[in-house]
Structure formats: structure tokens, C-alpha cells
Amino acid sequence: MILQALATIAAGIFGGAALYINLAEHPARMECGPRLAATVFGPSYRRAAAMQAPLAIIGLIAGVGAWLAGGETWWLAGGLALGAVVPFTLLAIMPTNRRLLASDVNRDSAEAAALLQKWARLHAVRTVLGLGAFGMFVWCLTAR
């Protein structure tokens, strides 16, 4: 039961934070123009990564652990969905992050605006994975 609660809490916090970033924080940045959006992206990204990476790993381990302890296959599926954000981030999002954080990017440029828009689309995948895992975990807890 502890692993199930831990997986659900980690997924809920991860998914909620990711949704907030997609629906509120990033659109607010973009309203201020690409220069400001690109400028604040770095500090925002570092703080969010420090919170979200551990949540994804904790949710993965707890979800798989809940399944190994005799839980439904949905615990495994949810854990793997939440854990998938780590390789997705490293393989799909990190090149965009690196370019946005590069010192030679003109923050007023069309390139910066396009990178920020691309980042939002990629981050939405993380949001779907996190909320999907949370939904699976909540379903497992309430389907008894």
C-alpha cells in the first residue's frame, strides 16, 4: 500500500506541475515576447527539472514495485509511463533545451520563438505521460 500511495502521489505532483507549466507558466512567458521568454526559460527549466526528474523516477520505482508486490498490471503500465519521461526528455527535449540555453542564441530572433514553441509541444508529451500515469494509479486505487 505504501508503494501504491507513493507512486500515486509522485505521478499526481508530476502531472499537475507539468500541466501547470503547459497551461499557465509557458504561455505567460510567451505573452511577454521571445526575448523575455527565452531569458527566463533557463532558471525555470533548472528548477522544474530538479523537482520533476526525481518525481518521475520515484513514480517509476514505486509503480513497478507495487506491481511486483502483487498489484494489477496497471501499476506497471503507470510506472513505465511516468518513467518514460526521463528518456523522452533526454532524447527528444534535451536538444531543444540545449539550443535555448546556448549563449549564442539571439533571444529576439525567430529561432528563439520557434524553439520555445517546439519546447511547449514536446513538454506536452511529458504532461500526457504524467497525467496518464496518475490516472492509471488512481483507477487502481479506486477500482477495488
Side-chain angles (χ1 to χ4, degrees):
M1 189 67 167
I2 292 172
L3 289 173
Q4 294 173 354
L6 188 58
T8 305
I9 291 166
I13 295 170
F14 181 96
L19 185 64
Y20 169 79
I21 290 167
N22 274 111
L23 294 182
E25 183 180 339
H26 192 70
R29 276 195 297 247
M30 295 302 288
E31 280 184 25
C32 297
R35 178 177 194 67
L36 182 60
T39 300
V40 300
F41 176 82
S44 176
Y45 163 73
R46 281 189 295 278
R47 289 171 186 249
M51 179 188 78
Q52 287 192 302
L55 287 169
I57 293 167
I58 290 167
L60 165 65
I61 293 168
V64 172
W67 172 69
L68 289 172
E72 296 89 357
T73 306
W74 291 107
W75 289 107
L76 174 64
L80 293 175
L82 191 55
V85 303
V86 175
F88 180 77
T89 299
L90 295 174
L91 298 173
I93 300 178
M94 196 57 70
T96 302
N97 288 354
R98 284 194 186 107
R99 189 64 193 135
L100 277 167
L101 298 171
S103 60
D104 65 333
V105 170
N106 177 351
R107 293 188 171 130
D108 282 323
S109 68
E111 177 193 14
L115 286 167
L116 289 161
Q117 290 170 348
K118 179 180 180 181
W119 181 88
R121 288 189 305 274
L122 292 169
H123 189 269
V125 173
R126 292 169 40 100
T127 302
V128 168
L129 289 169
L131 292 175
F134 180 63
M136 286 183 239
F137 295 157
V138 168
W139 184 83
C140 286
L141 289 173
T142 60
R144 296 178 182 198

